[in-house]
Amino acid sequence: MRLFNPETMTEVIQGFHDTAGAIELPDDNWFFTSTEIPEGKKLAVNNSGEPILIDISQLAE
């Protein structure tokens, strides 16, 4: 089970971090397979609290 905190946009490790507000993500979620955010992208959270990547240009809109 992999946990993600949509407020802090970080991985949550049970027994080490506070799990309040964390959501469970599937093990194959891209957030756990990528080591860095691609250039021109920014980490954001969708309506379900899951991590998504958005274009930095979308922030100006």
Side-chain angles (χ1 to χ4, degrees):
M1 173 174 58
R2 306 296 296 264
L3 299 173
F4 176 78
N5 184 318
E7 187 175 320
T8 61
M9 293 193 280
T10 57
E11 180 178 8
V12 174
I13 300 170
Q14 275 185 315
F16 189 72
H17 298 117
D18 180 8
T19 58
I23 63 166
E24 184 176 347
L25 294 177
D27 288 336
D28 63 351
N29 184 281
W30 70 269
F31 185 76
F32 299 114
T33 60
S34 299
T35 59
E36 57 188 58
I37 296 174
E39 189 172 333
K41 300 287 186 178
K42 180 173 175 69
L43 183 61
V45 177
N46 67 15
N47 291 338
S48 300
E50 300 167 337
I52 59 170
L53 291 176
I54 61 170
D55 291 323
I56 290 176
S57 61
Q58 289 178 322
L59 298 174
E61 297 175 359

